[in-house]
Amino acid sequence: MSYIRKRIQSFSHAFRGMHTLYKETPNAQIHLIVAIIAVALGFLYRISSGEWLAIIITIGAVFSMETMNTALERLSDYACKKEIHPTIKKVKDLSAAAVLIMALVAVAVGLIIFLPKIF
C-alpha cells in the first residue's frame, strides 16, 4: 500500500473514531453541545483572537480527554470481560477524573472570558 493511501486510510480510521465517540458516548454529546454554545457566544460577544485561541484549545483538550477516556474504558471492559476488577476500576476512575479536571478548566476559561461580557 502506498504511503499516501496509508495516510488517507489513517484519517478514515480517525473520522470513524470521532463518529463512534459522538454516537455512543453521552458525555461527548454534552461536550459538543457546550462547545457549540461557547462558539456561538464567542461570535455574539465578538471575543478577541486570544480569547478564541483559549476557547479552541480548551474545546480540543476536552474532546481529546473524553476520547482517550472512552478508549481506555472500552479497552478495560474488553480486557476484564466487563467483570469488576479493583485495578481496572481505579484506572477507569482516574481516566474519568482527567476528563472532569479538563471540563472544570473549560468552565473556568468560559467564565473568565464570558462573565465580564455578559455582566
Side-chain angles (χ1 to χ4, degrees):
M1 190 177 287
S2 74
Y3 175 81
I4 293 173
R5 191 172 295 201
K6 286 181 182 178
R7 298 298 64 81
I8 292 170
Q9 189 177 41
S10 70
F11 276 99
S12 174
H13 296 312
F15 282 114
R16 188 170 48 252
M18 286 175 60
H19 179 263
T20 300
L21 178 71
Y22 295 120
K23 183 178 176 191
E24 299 178 11
T25 308
N27 286 347
Q29 295 166 0
I30 293 167
H31 295 313
L32 182 59
I33 291 166
V34 173
I36 290 168
I37 292 168
V39 170
L41 287 173
F43 283 116
L44 179 68
Y45 289 107
R46 299 178 186 197
I47 63 177
S48 69
S49 296
E51 292 168 329
W52 272 117
L53 187 60
I55 293 292
I56 291 167
I57 290 171
T58 302
I59 289 170
V62 170
F63 282 125
S64 294
M65 294 301 295
E66 186 63 54
T67 303
M68 292 303 298
N69 178 54
T70 300
L72 189 57
E73 285 182 352
R74 299 266 175 97
L75 186 59
S76 297
D77 289 345
Y78 176 79
C80 69
K81 298 179 176 84
K82 294 200 175 195
E83 294 176 9
I84 296 175
H85 186 282
T87 302
I88 297 285
K89 182 184 180 327
K90 284 183 183 179
V91 168
K92 289 173 70 172
D93 289 348
L94 288 166
S95 181
V99 178
L100 177 61
I101 291 166
M102 193 61 237
L104 292 173
V105 168
V107 168
V109 168
L111 290 174
I112 289 167
I113 291 172
F114 294 117
L115 272 185
K117 295 173 184 348
I118 293 171
F119 297 107

